[in-house]
């Protein structure tokens, strides 16, 4: 069969107090300095004391910040807090944790968490797939992509783009063409992220003519 199926591929500077950060600004228009401030492990107790860590959207924001700055130690503490607070069923927080583990280079931990999440969305899948691509494991990434299709998860442009990166890493032009067709089917032909991925995939698969068309 010509279709893509599951059978194709089996913290910078110390912060001394909570007042060093403007928490209200952080929750609305965070800048890099404020974001970096909120990855200081010593502040977590103060956040908890002030009730900030009882708000799921704040927890999600801090975990996402850990991903951005690669703050693994804070990310681990936030994961523990998520379990204690019973936020594990929150798909946004769980997805942010998967992304955090991947961005911190611990994709195995990300995969273990992924397997424990009862309900996953496209963001969750995309994060884990991207994590494997970052560690140059395109076979596993493409297997996950085909599983994503099998479970009927609605694809996003980032799903297609990640799959194209996997095809490029594998230098598999045939599979890349199948993903290209899938992108067209989902109406992503004019999407910049997908378009860039297509050019890169075809170029790396030595199909220069297709990359220029």
């Amino acid at each position: 069969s010509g279709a893509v199926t599951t059978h194709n591929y089996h913290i910078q500077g110390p912060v001394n107090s909570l007042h060093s950060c403007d928490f209200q600004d952080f929750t609305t228009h965070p800048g890099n300095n404020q974001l970096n401030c909120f990855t200081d492990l010593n502040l977590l107790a103060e956040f908890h004391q002030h009730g900030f860590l009882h708000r799921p959207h704040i927890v999600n924001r801090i975990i996402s910040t850990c991903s951005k700055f690669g703050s693994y130690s804070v990310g681990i503490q936030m994961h523990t807090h998520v379990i204690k607070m019973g936020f594990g069923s929150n798909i946004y927080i769980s997805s942010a944790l998967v992304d955090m583990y991947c961005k911190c280079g611990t994709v195995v931990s990300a995969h273990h968490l992924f397997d424990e999440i009862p309900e996953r969305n496209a963001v969750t899948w995309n994060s884990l797939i991207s994590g494997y691509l970052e560690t140059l494991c395109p076979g596993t990434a493409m297997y996950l992509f085909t599983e994503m299709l099998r479970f009927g998860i609605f694809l996003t442009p980032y799903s297609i783009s990640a799959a194209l990166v996997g095809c490029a890493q594998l230098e598999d032009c045939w599979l890349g063409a199948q993903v290209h067709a899938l992108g067209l089917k989902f109406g992503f032909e004019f999407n910049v992220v997908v378009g860039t991925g297509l050019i890169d995939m075809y170029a790396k698969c030595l199909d220069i003519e297709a990359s220029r068309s």
Side-chain angles (χ1 to χ4, degrees):
S1 173
V4 179
T5 70
T6 55
H7 302 293
N8 290 126
Y9 293 92
H10 278 283
I11 308 181
Q12 293 178 2
V15 181
N16 296 321
S17 73
L18 184 63
H19 302 291
S20 300
C21 298
D22 187 331
F23 192 85
Q24 183 63 36
D25 285 348
F26 169 78
T27 60
T28 53
H29 304 290
N32 282 341
N33 290 336
Q34 290 167 327
L35 287 173
N36 209 12
C37 177
F38 278 81
T39 59
D40 190 302
L41 190 59
N42 296 325
L43 285 177
L44 290 184
E46 291 193 57
F47 292 162
H48 192 277
Q49 180 182 351
H50 286 77
F52 295 143
L53 297 187
H54 291 75
R55 309 174 191 176
H57 68 287
I58 297 302
V59 170
N60 183 57
R61 180 67 67 87
I62 294 175
I63 295 170
S64 297
T65 302
C66 292
S67 300
K68 179 180 177 66
F69 289 99
S71 301
Y72 183 69
S73 59
V74 178
I76 287 288
Q77 294 297 318
M78 292 306 299
H79 189 179
T80 301
H81 176 74
V82 166
I83 294 171
K84 289 181 177 179
M85 294 297 298
F87 291 158
S89 60
N90 185 307
I91 184 61
Y92 301 105
I93 290 177
S94 295
S95 297
L97 283 170
V98 170
D99 186 59
M100 181 276 295
Y101 280 118
C102 287
K103 293 289 176 56
C104 291
T106 55
V107 69
V108 173
S109 296
H111 204 150
H112 286 160
L113 175 59
F114 177 87
D115 288 339
E116 295 173 357
I117 299 174
E119 183 180 349
R120 310 158 188 147
N121 61 15
V123 174
T124 322
W125 286 88
N126 292 345
S127 294
L128 187 59
I129 290 170
S130 296
Y132 276 109
L133 293 173
E134 287 293 324
T135 56
L136 301 179
C137 297
T140 304
M142 292 308 297
Y143 171 76
L144 286 167
F145 179 72
T146 56
E147 284 290 279
M148 189 177 182
L149 293 174
R150 186 171 72 86
F151 280 103
I153 305 299
F154 190 81
L155 300 182
T156 70
Y158 293 100
S159 308
I160 297 295
S161 176
L164 291 170
V165 172
C167 296
Q169 289 185 5
L170 290 166
E171 297 184 354
D172 190 331
C173 195
W174 178 86
L175 186 60
Q178 306 307 306
V179 176
H180 185 176
L182 200 58
L184 293 176
K185 178 181 178 180
F186 276 80
F188 298 148
E189 62 267 32
F190 299 117
N191 184 274
V192 174
V193 173
V194 173
T196 302
L198 282 168
I199 293 171
D200 185 61
M201 183 276 295
Y202 280 121
K204 288 184 177 178
C205 291
L206 304 181
D207 195 342
I208 305 301
E209 181 178 351
S211 72
R212 292 175 177 173
S213 63

